[in-house]
């Protein structure tokens, strides 16, 4: 029976050439085989001139394979597997690759199959490549290999395995599996090239009645659109929205709603508002109507006029009213209440905002992000309204409910500020010291240290127990490391939290990987050495020796985010509490200080602290001159070409070219000039200046009008955009960290 099914499937595929298998030679290669190697041609010449040791032969063979010299690579690498057993995996991977590219799928399969899939650096890739080989041979066993690879979890080339697995299953007549894999592909990666390649297969299988999943059904289109919008694949989403709106049976109100979300993502806000309004008017589905009204209100939040704010509040109130009539309206109710709270804070309506924060933070509610934020804001609102005892009580309740919250250090800080404002400096100092014991190097540690210094002269304030200079050590920003330092529960201060930085003796089980990495690096292949160390670091994230080896190499290769993440996982105790001297081994990895002459030269004659520009560059580009953002901002200070062109005209400079922004001298000159213009525009208010970089002038105009009278610390807390608020805190923290380290 099974043979008959396979024969029927084969005849079906023969009758439909659109389903013919894609050549496995065109399938995407995993990272070790597709990773660019800097200066490859010159390195090959260098290696060719060296004695042919097994180590040099390994490196040369890998480079030959990457240079498409497949026959030569095979001859070079074959002996290495026997002569250098510790590197047999790497040699086998590239030997198999050379055979694969030469069309010898059986020989390639034997090489890939010999590699343990559990080998962290190359095992999953070898398993996928073995499936490619069986696929190229037309073997039904390819499906089992693809499924084993998929069972390993997330991987950059997972969509290719889903596509080829589905094709292999269809060839074998296993249409149930084919449908399952195709559906997963379109629910998880509809923007990928593999999804595009799989479309003819999915459509033909549905047309022939082999599967029930139709790519072109209204439900499938809607699912794909929602995934695309969630992944910011707006252009692809818009094309499908147009198709959805033309599809019989599609909900036209939903099409308008989805188009509104796409337009909102493209910042075509006025058009988005109109689409949401039309969706709410046409919809016969109460849930869609209520959410359309909510998103219409959310779009109005981008505008600054009082009529916009009034319209937004009216819409939010309406969406909230509708949400409370829905059987599953809890999510919308919370979203509307949270946005109402933030808009009232944004407009300085603290008295109106406080009861909303209290209600949203109700202890009877299920713990959610919105409830946590509301509980935190209720304490700050009471402080802003000069209800200092109420602020202290609310912040204490917040800490009892959310002890490990990201806001916890801030709750300690503002509780101390409330004690000080209430006329109890002794308790305030005690609270600040408690904060410094747990988070001395965070943003709030900086604020606490500065506050202690300011209170030192008061009659009732005890002297600080440690020099303030040692306390002003803001930690890593929460955007860069994998583990936010501010949110970590920290044990009492140890005698030497940085001892592990210099204790670089790795455990014995790490030695094989470290030796392989060293051999690859000595063979002029640092990119592959980094992969070996990255896999080891993922296995032993808290081992200091492994983390330091990986972080240093990643830094050399310009992979700064990975380096900082590895460092923060292994050395968070030191980063949280270390002194200037103790932090020296980590300094260049976590807080590099490049181009300081350019920064100082362009700030000459101003009162701006050079450390704020260093902190800004670290946040924007991590000192990478050729960094380019998705919005088109370029270089160290992420300057938009249009902004630089305007500055060039002001300076009387002709012939500006956007490419010149990758030159550090040009970028810092324009970037500092732009910063100084903003700084002067906002009266030397650093928080406003930094917030304007992230949120733009329209929003800053509103915040300046209604929140500008607050002290800078409280203004930062009340910035309603989470991204902007965190951005400002990170750069201010960076500024103080550079002051400490350099």
């Amino acid at each position: 029976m099974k043979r008959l099914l396979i024969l029927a499937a084969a005849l079906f595929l023969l009758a439909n050439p659109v389903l013919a298998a894609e050549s496995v030679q065109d399938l995407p290669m995993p990272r070790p085989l597709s990773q660019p190697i800097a200066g490859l041609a010159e390195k090959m010449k260098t290696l060719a001139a060296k004695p042919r040791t097994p180590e040099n032969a390994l490196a040369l063979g890998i480079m030959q394979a990457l240079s498409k010299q497949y026959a030569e690579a095979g001859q070079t690498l074959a002996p290495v597997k026997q002569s250098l057993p510790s590197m047999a995996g790497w040699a086998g991977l590239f030997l198999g690759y050379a055979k694969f590219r030469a069309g010898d799928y059986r020989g390639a399969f034997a090489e890939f199959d010999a590699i343990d899939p559990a080998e962290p650096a190359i095992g999953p890739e070898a398993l996928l490549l073995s499936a490619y080989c069986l696929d190229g041979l037309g073997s039904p066993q390819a499906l089992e290999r693809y499924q084993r690879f998929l069972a390993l979890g997330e991987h950059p080339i997972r969509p290719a395995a889903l596509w080829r697995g589905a094709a292999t299953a269809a060839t074998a007549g296993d249409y149930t599996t084919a449908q399952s894999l195709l559906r997963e592909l379109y629910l998880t990666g509809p923007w990928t090239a593999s999804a595009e390649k799989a479309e003819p297969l999915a459509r033909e299988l549905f047309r022939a009645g082999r599967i029930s999943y139709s790519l072109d059904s209204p439900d499938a289109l809607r699912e794909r659109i929602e995934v695309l919008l969630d992944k910011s694949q707006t252009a692809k989403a818009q094309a499908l929205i147009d198709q959805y709106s033309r599809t019989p049976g599609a909900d036209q109100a939903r099409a308008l709603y989805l188009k509104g979300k796409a337009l909102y993502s493209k910042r075509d806000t006025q058009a988005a508002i109109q689409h949401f309004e039309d969706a709410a008017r046409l919809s016969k589905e109460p849930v869609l109507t209520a959410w359309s009204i909510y998103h219409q209100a959310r779009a109005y939040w981008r505008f600054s006029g009082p009529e916009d704010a009034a319209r937004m509040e009216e819409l939010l109130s309406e969406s909230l009213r509708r949400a409370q009539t829905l059987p599953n309206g809890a999510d919308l109710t919370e979203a509307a209440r949270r946005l109402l709270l933030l808009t009232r804070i944004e407009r300085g309506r603290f008295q109106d905002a406080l009861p909303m924060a209290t209600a949203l933070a109700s202890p009877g509610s299920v713990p959610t992000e919105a409830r946590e934020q509301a509980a935190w804001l209720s304490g700050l609102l009471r402080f802003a309204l000069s209800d200092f005892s109420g602020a202290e009580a609310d912040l204490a309740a917040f800490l009892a409910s959310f002890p490990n919250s990201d806001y916890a250090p801030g709750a300690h800080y503002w509780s101390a500020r409330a004690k000080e404002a209430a006329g109890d400096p002794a308790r305030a100092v005690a609270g600040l010291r408690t904060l410094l014991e747990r988070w001395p190097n965070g943003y709030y540690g900086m604020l606490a240290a500065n506050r202690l210094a300011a209170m030192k002269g008061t009659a009732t304030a005890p002297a600080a127990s440690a020099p303030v200079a040692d306390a002003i050590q803001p930690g890593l920003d929460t955007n860069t490391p994998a583990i936010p330092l501010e949110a970590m529960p920290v044990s009492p201060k140890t005698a030497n939290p940085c001892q592990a930085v210099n204790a670089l003796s790795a455990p014995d089980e790490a030695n094989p990987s470290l030796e392989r990495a060293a051999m690859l690096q000595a063979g002029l292949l640092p990119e592959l050495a980094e992969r070996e160390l990255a896999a080891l670091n993922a296995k032993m994230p808290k081992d200091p020796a492994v983390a330091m080896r990986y972080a240093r190499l990643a830094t050399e290769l310009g992979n700064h985010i990975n380096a900082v993440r590895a460092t923060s996982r292994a050395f968070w105790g030191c980063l949280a509490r270390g002194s200037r001297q103790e932090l020296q081994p980590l300094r260049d990895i976590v807080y590099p200080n490049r181009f300081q002459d350019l920064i100082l030269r362009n700030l000459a004659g101003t009162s701006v602290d050079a450390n704020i520009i260093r902190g800004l560059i670290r946040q924007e580009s991590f000192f990478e001159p050729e960094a380019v953002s998705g919005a088109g901002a370029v270089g160290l200070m992420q300057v938009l070409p249009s902004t630089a062109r305007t500055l060039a005209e002001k300076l009387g400079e002709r012939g500006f070219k956007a490419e010149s922004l990758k030159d550090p001298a040009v970028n810092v000159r324009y970037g500092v000039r732009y910063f100084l213009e903003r700084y002067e525009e906002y009266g030397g208010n650093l928080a406003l200046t930094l917030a304007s970089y992230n949120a733009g002038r329209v929003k800053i105009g509103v915040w300046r009008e209604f929140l500008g009278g607050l002290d800078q610390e409280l203004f930062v807390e009340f910035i309603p955009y989470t991204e902007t608020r965190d951005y400002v805190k990170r750069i201010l923290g960076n500024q103080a960290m550079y002051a400490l380290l350099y």
Side-chain angles (χ1 to χ4, degrees), residues 364-410:
S365 305
V366 176
T368 63
E369 183 180 339
R371 181 197 156 199
E372 180 182 346
Q373 184 181 22
W376 153 246
L377 286 172
S378 68
L380 290 178
L381 286 166
R382 290 190 189 279
F383 185 95
L385 292 167
S386 300
D387 178 7
F388 303 121
S389 60
E392 188 178 347
D394 276 12
L395 291 168
F398 169 80
L399 287 168
S401 298
F402 304 99
N404 296 320
S405 169
D406 288 359
Y407 299 114

Side-chain angles (χ1 to χ4, degrees), residues 495-731:
N496 185 359
C498 296
Q499 185 174 4
V501 175
N502 296 311
L504 298 181
S505 178
D508 291 343
E509 60 181 307
N511 288 336
S513 289
L514 292 174
E515 290 169 4
R516 287 194 293 270
M519 201 174 299
L520 289 166
Q521 198 166 358
L524 309 181
L525 292 167
E527 296 87 352
L528 302 187
E530 185 198 13
R531 184 175 185 85
E532 183 74 50
L533 290 176
L536 181 62
N537 181 244
K539 183 180 177 182
M540 303 178 175
K542 302 228 176 138
D543 183 83
V546 171
M548 189 63 87
R549 284 281 299 275
Y550 172 56
R552 283 173 175 163
L553 181 54
T555 297
E556 289 175 16
L557 294 173
N559 298 328
H560 301 293
I561 298 303
N562 290 341
V564 173
R565 284 175 175 161
T567 306
S568 67
R569 283 192 295 261
F571 302 113
W572 68 264
C574 183
L575 290 166
R577 306 190 190 95
S579 67
R580 182 195 306 258
Q581 182 178 359
E582 290 168 334
L583 286 167
Q584 291 305 299
L586 303 174
R587 185 181 73 171
D588 292 339
I589 296 171
V590 181
Y591 284 89
N593 185 31
R594 302 168 62 196
F595 310 110
Q596 59 177 330
D597 290 343
L598 289 176
I599 294 169
L600 293 172
R601 187 187 315 149
N602 284 280
L603 285 175
T606 75
S607 61
V608 174
D609 179 8
N611 288 320
I612 199 67
I613 302 300
R614 294 184 179 99
L616 181 63
I617 292 174
R618 181 186 185 272
Q619 176 65 25
E620 292 287 356
S621 69
F622 216 96
F623 293 86
E624 281 298 320
E626 299 201 358
V628 180
S629 75
V634 181
L636 295 174
M637 296 187 70
Q638 291 290 276
V639 181
L640 285 168
S642 57
T643 300
R645 192 170 288 109
T646 301
L647 290 169
E649 291 173 0
K650 286 182 182 179
L651 296 170
E653 299 174 357
R654 297 181 178 180
F656 168 79
K657 294 182 179 179
E659 191 66 22
S660 68
L661 288 173
K662 293 182 179 180
D663 179 343
V666 174
N667 193 280
V668 172
R669 184 158 58 89
Y670 285 134
V672 169
R673 177 63 181 258
Y674 181 69
F675 177 89
L676 292 173
E677 286 187 0
R678 287 284 181 99
Y679 189 65
E680 183 178 354
E681 178 183 352
Y682 296 121
N685 186 308
L686 192 53
L688 277 171
T689 303
L690 294 174
S692 73
Y693 264 73
N694 186 264
R697 280 192 167 89
V698 172
K699 272 298 164 189
I700 291 302
V702 176
W703 300 343
R704 188 180 189 184
E705 178 181 356
F706 294 104
L707 304 176
L710 301 173
D711 72 46
Q712 178 170 290
E713 294 172 10
L714 197 55
F715 167 79
V716 170
E717 302 293 5
F718 281 148
I719 293 174
Y721 287 1
T722 299
E723 179 184 335
T724 304
R725 183 174 62 253
D726 290 348
Y727 177 88
V728 173
K729 287 182 180 180
R730 287 168 191 148
I731 295 175

Side-chain angles (χ1 to χ4, degrees), residues 231-513:
K231 297 296 183 180
S232 300
Q233 297 286 331
T234 309
K236 289 182 181 291
Q238 284 187 302
L240 286 185
I241 292 168
D242 292 339
Q243 180 184 344
Y244 175 79
S245 64
R246 297 190 300 267
T247 301
D251 182 344
Q252 294 305 313
R254 186 168 293 279
L256 289 166
Y257 172 77
L258 293 170
K259 187 65 176 287
K261 293 183 78 172
L263 290 165
Y264 181 86
S265 295
K266 292 179 65 179
R267 303 198 71 82
D268 190 350
T269 309
Q270 194 61 59
I273 288 173
Q274 187 62 57
H275 278 74
F276 289 131
E277 184 178 341
D278 292 343
R281 178 171 47 82
L282 292 176
S283 177
K284 294 182 174 59
E285 184 184 338
V287 174
L288 180 62
T289 301
W291 276 107
S292 296
I293 293 170
Y294 167 80
H295 281 289
Q296 189 182 348
R298 185 165 167 253
Y300 270 108
W301 200 21
R302 285 182 173 166
F303 299 140
S304 60
E307 66 284 357
D308 300 313
R311 179 59 175 154
M312 177 183 177
E313 186 156 341
E314 177 187 343
L315 289 164
L316 284 173
S317 297
E318 176 63 16
S319 68
L320 185 58
R321 184 187 68 77
R322 289 174 179 268
Q324 292 171 336
T325 68
L326 299 173
N328 297 310
D331 288 347
L332 178 57
T333 297
E334 185 173 272
R337 284 179 172 172
R338 177 178 178 272
L339 198 49
L340 269 172
L341 169 62
L342 294 176
T343 55
R344 289 181 179 180
I345 290 175
E346 178 180 66
R347 298 255 159 189
R349 296 169 57 187
F350 301 152
Q351 198 72 55
D352 294 337
L354 180 57
M356 295 198 68
T358 303
L360 187 54
S362 171
S365 305
V366 176
T368 63
E369 183 180 339
R371 181 197 156 199
E372 180 182 346
Q373 184 181 22
W376 153 246
L377 286 172
S378 68
L380 290 178
L381 286 166
R382 290 190 189 279
F383 185 95
L385 292 167
S386 300
D387 178 7
F388 303 121
S389 60
E392 188 178 347
D394 276 12
L395 291 168
F398 169 80
L399 287 168
S401 298
F402 304 99
N404 296 320
S405 169
D406 288 359
Y407 299 114
H412 283 282
Y413 177 72
W414 286 101
S415 181
R417 289 269 323 249
K419 293 179 178 74
E420 180 190 0
D424 193 346
R427 289 180 65 227
V429 167
L432 293 172
R433 286 181 177 171
T434 298
L435 190 159
L436 283 169
E437 287 176 2
R438 298 189 67 190
W439 299 283
N441 288 11
Y443 169 74
Y444 291 103
M446 172 192 69
L447 298 185
N450 290 341
R451 205 78 196 167
L452 279 174
M455 295 176 68
K456 226 174 179 181
T458 61
T460 55
S465 60
V468 171
D470 287 341
I472 305 179
Q473 299 170 15
L476 294 168
D477 61 69
T478 56
N479 186 46
T480 301
I483 305 172
L485 296 180
E486 297 267 351
M488 289 181 179
V490 182
S491 57
K493 188 167 183 177
T494 58
N496 185 359
C498 296
Q499 185 174 4
V501 175
N502 296 311
L504 298 181
S505 178
D508 291 343
E509 60 181 307
N511 288 336
S513 289

